[in-house]
Amino acid sequence: MKKLATEERDGMSTIVRTVTRWVSAFIILYGLYIVAYGHLTPGGGFPGGVIMAGGFVLLMLAFGKKRLTALLPVARASALDCLGALGFWLLAVAGLVFGGGVFFRNFLPHGLRLRLWSAGIIPLCNVAIALKVTASLVLMLVALSVLRVKAGGTDEDFVSDIEEE
Amino acid sequence: MDLLPLIVAVPLLAGFVLPLVPKRAERLADGLALLTAAVLAALSIVALRMPDCIYAIGGWNPPIGINFVLDGASKLMLLVVCVITFVITLYSPAYMVRFTGKRKFYALFFLMVAGMNGVVLTGDMFNLFVFIEIASIASYALVGFGCQKEELEASFRYLVLGSVASSMILLGIALLYAKMGTVNMAHLSDKIAAAGGLGGAGPTTPEGKASALLIFATVLFICGLGLKAALVPFHAWLPDAHPSAPTPISAMLSGLLIKTVGVYALARVLFSVIGITPVVSNVLMILGALSMVVGVFVAIGQWDFKRLLAYHSISQMGYIVLAIGLATPLGVVAGLFHLVNHAIFKPLLFLTAGSVEYRTGTRQLDQMGGLNKKMPVTGTTSFIASMSIAGVPPFNGFFSKLLIIIACFQAGRYGFAIAAVVVSILTLASFTKVQKYAFFGPLKQKWGRITEVPATMAAAMALLAVLCLASSALMLKGPREFLLGNAQRSLTERQEYVERVLGNKHAGGDESLKSF
C-alpha cells in the first residue's frame, strides 16, 4: 500500500488517499449488503452494483487509474461484465429446463418469507445483475478517462493510457 | 419445452459469450456467429409452422406478466429478420477482417438481433420500449464501429436523435399507463376501446375526455417511432448513420432495424393498441408519400454509393408506410409485401456496395466504372437488386409496388397512386445511373488488378439475389394468403388480438402447469 502511494503522482493528496483507503472498503461492503438483501429491503442488483462501482471510482480518483487497473484489469472487468449477463441468462433459461418449460420461472423453493435464503432465484438474479452493473460502470468510467486528446490536437493525437489486452 | 423464448434468448447468449472468446481465436468467433444465425433462421421457420399463440414469461399470465405474442405479423417479421440476419452473418467474416475487435462486432450485432426479435414478439408496451432500446443502443455503437471521425460524428448524431425518439416513446407509454393503468398491449387495447378510442366517443370523466391524452400519446408514438423508421421530417440521422456503419451493419440497419423498431412497432401500436382512425391513417399516408418523394429526389443527386442507397431507404420506407397507412386489407398486404421485398434487395444493394468498397476502397460512383468485367458476381447481383428496387418485372419490387398502386386506386387515393408511379420511375433513373457508372462502361486503368470478392461474400450476395426472384412468388394466392394475409389480419383485426392474449389459451400459463 505505502509503496504504491509514494510511487504514484497522478492521484490526490495524502489526506484524500488515507480517507479513501478506509472508506472505499465500507462503500463496497455496503454495496454487497444492498445486493444481498435486495429481495427483502429496498435495493437490489442495480443499486448495489452502482454503489460498489462508486467505491471503485473513488479509488480511481484518489489513487489514479493505474491503481484501479492493477486491482481490476480492463480485460478481467470486461469478462466479469459478460459473466454477469451470462449468469442472468442462465437463470432465465434454467426456468425453461427445470421449471416445467417456462422461461424465467422462479423454479427454486421460495423459502420462509423475510429470511435471507428465500425468494427462489431472485437473490441469484440480483448477484448476476450486480456483477454486470459493477463491471460495466467501472469500465465505462475507465473508458471515459483513458482517451485524451491534447488541446487543439487532431484525431492522430489521441493518447490512450491503457492497452486493451 | 417451448421454443418461442429461445428466439430472443439465443442471440442474447451469443452477445454475452462472443466477447469471452480469446482474441486469437477469431475463427471460433466467426463459427459461433454463423452457428447462432443458422439456429435463429431454423427457429424462425419452426415458429412459422407453429399455431398462433401467446407465451406468458415466468408463468405470469397477462395482463400481469410480460407475454410474447406469436401471430401472423410476428411470424412474418421473425422470418424476415432471422433469414436476412443469417445471410448478412455469412457475409461478415470475410468483410470484417479489415476491422479490429471482430468479437465485439458480433456481440453488438447479436444484441441488436435480440432486440429486434423481442420487438417483434413482445405483447407488452414497456417491454417493447426495452427491446427498442436494446436494438437501438447496439446500433449506435455499431454505426461508430470504425472509430473514424465521420463515423463517430454520424453515430453521435444518431444517438442524440434516437434518444429523443426513445424519450417520446417512453413518455407516450407513461401517459397511457397513467390513464389506463396497464402496459399490456391487449389489455390496453381493450381499455382504450372501452374509453371510446381516439374518436372521443367515450364518456366524459371529471378529468376530461380520455381522447385528449390519447391523441397526445398517439402523436408521441408517431413522432418517436417515425424517427426510428426515418420518415421524412424525422430522417436527418439516416443518410449519415447508414453509410458510416460497416457494410453488414448498413445492410442490417436499412434492411431490418428501421422496419422492426420503426414500421412494425408503429403498425402494432397504432393498429393493435390504439386503433386506427381516418385521421391517423391520413397522417401516415402523408408522411409516407413525403418520404417517398423527398427521399428519391435527394437520392438522385448522390455520388456516394452507400449514401445514395440510404436515401433510397427513406424513399422505400415511404412506400411501406403509405401502403400500411391506407389501412385497407389490400393496402396492409401490399405494405407488408414491400417490407419483405425491401428487406431482401436493400441489404443486397448495401452488400454489393460494400464489396465494391472492399476491393476498390472507394464509395464514389464516378471513381468506379466497368467493374462488371472484374467482379461478375457483384455486378450481376447488384443489377438484380437495382431492377428489384426500381420495380422492373419479374423481380419482387415490381409486384409489391404494383399492389401498392392498386391498393391506392382501390381506396380512391389517386394522388398517392400517381406519386408512387412517378417515384418508381425516378428510382429506376437513379439506379440506371448506379449501374452505368459503377458496373458498365469501360474499365478504368487503376482497377485492372482487382478480383472478385471472397467466396462467402459472393455466396451471401447470390443467396439474396435468388431471394429477390423467389419472393415474387408471394404474389401467388397460396403463399400470399399464408404469409401476408395472416400477417395483415393479425394487425387489422384488433378484437382478435385482444381475445388471443386475454382469452384462456396460454402456452406456459398456469393451465399448462397443472399437468406439469
Side-chain angles (χ1 to χ4, degrees), chain B residues 185-434:
Chain B
M185 283 186 188
H187 201 207
L188 206 51
S189 177
D190 204 29
K191 289 199 168 192
I192 287 173
L198 274 179
T204 309
T205 55
E207 306 99 68
K209 279 192 171 180
S211 59
L213 186 135
L214 201 56
I215 290 168
F216 185 45
T218 311
V219 171
L220 286 172
F221 286 129
I222 292 178
C223 295
L225 295 167
L227 200 146
K228 299 274 183 195
L231 295 178
V232 144
F234 320 109
H235 69 287
W237 57 273
L238 187 142
D240 287 324
H242 287 198
S244 301
T247 293
I249 298 309
S250 310
M252 287 293 282
L253 296 182
S254 263
L256 302 175
L257 190 79
I258 51 175
K259 296 193 183 67
T260 44
V261 310
V263 172
Y264 173 84
L266 189 61
R268 195 47 111 186
V269 168
L270 291 182
F271 281 92
S272 298
V273 178
I274 291 172
I276 198 124
T277 59
V279 180
V280 176
S281 165
N282 274 332
V283 169
L284 284 184
M285 280 190 283
I286 290 167
L287 286 178
L290 207 61
S291 313
M292 205 164 77
V293 174
V294 172
V296 82
F297 269 111
V298 187
I300 284 185
Q302 301 298 321
W303 284 99
D304 181 329
F305 198 169
K306 282 172 89 175
R307 207 175 165 82
L308 180 143
L309 295 178
Y311 276 111
H312 275 294
S313 286
I314 297 173
S315 172
Q316 300 300 312
M317 290 304 281
Y319 272 102
I320 298 169
V321 172
L322 166 67
I324 290 178
L326 283 170
T328 58
L330 186 66
V332 176
V333 164
L336 291 171
F337 190 12
H338 199 62
L339 185 150
V340 173
N341 292 343
H342 188 247
I344 297 169
F345 57 64
K346 186 49 66 76
L348 177 52
L349 282 166
F350 268 113
L351 296 190
T352 54
S355 297
V356 170
E357 193 193 359
Y358 183 80
R359 281 303 186 216
T360 64
T362 181
R363 298 201 315 231
Q364 297 301 316
L365 287 169
D366 47 3
Q367 305 270 316
M368 304 168 189
L371 295 177
N372 257 340
K373 297 184 183 73
K374 290 289 177 184
M375 306 172 80
V377 179
T378 309
T380 315
T381 51
S382 168
F383 180 75
I384 291 173
S386 299
M387 293 301 106
S388 298
I389 194 174
V392 174
F395 301 107
N396 57 10
F398 168 74
F399 296 106
S400 51
K401 283 185 181 175
L402 186 67
L403 268 189
I404 289 173
I405 292 161
I406 292 173
C408 284
F409 266 109
Q410 201 191 43
R413 306 283 181 163
Y414 306 113
F416 289 132
I418 291 165
V421 174
V422 172
V423 170
S424 192
I425 293 168
L426 290 172
T427 310
L428 181 62
S430 174
F431 279 94
T432 314
K433 168 181 141 182
V434 169

Side-chain angles (χ1 to χ4, degrees), chain A residues 35-105:
Chain A
V35 175
Y37 282 77
H39 56 300
L40 302 174
T41 54
F46 194 93
V50 173
I51 293 169
M52 284 200 279
F56 285 106
V57 171
L58 196 61
L59 281 178
M60 182 174 95
L61 290 176
F63 292 96
K65 266 162 290 190
K66 280 189 192 126
R67 180 86 169 84
L68 181 78
T69 45
L71 205 66
L72 189 71
V74 171
R76 193 180 302 162
S78 182
L80 282 177
D81 179 52
C82 288
L83 286 175
L86 200 59
F88 194 71
W89 186 90
L90 284 173
L91 284 167
V93 172
L96 208 56
V97 181
F98 303 114
V102 182
F103 194 58
F104 260 117
R105 175 165 280 275

Side-chain angles (χ1 to χ4, degrees), chain A residues 109-129:
Chain A
H110 295 193
L112 279 175
R113 208 178 294 169
L114 299 181
R115 294 292 171 84
L116 183 56
W117 300 112
S118 63
I121 63 168
I122 294 173
L124 298 176
C125 288
N126 277 336
V127 170
I129 294 168

Side-chain angles (χ1 to χ4, degrees), chain A residues 82 89 101-103 105 155 164-165, chain B residues 5 9 55 58-59 104 149 513:
Chain A
C82 288
W89 186 90
V102 182
F103 194 58
R105 175 165 280 275
D155 279 1
E164 195 198 313
E165 262 160 82
Chain B
Y55 189 91
K104 285 178 184 151
K149 203 173 185 175
L513 276 173

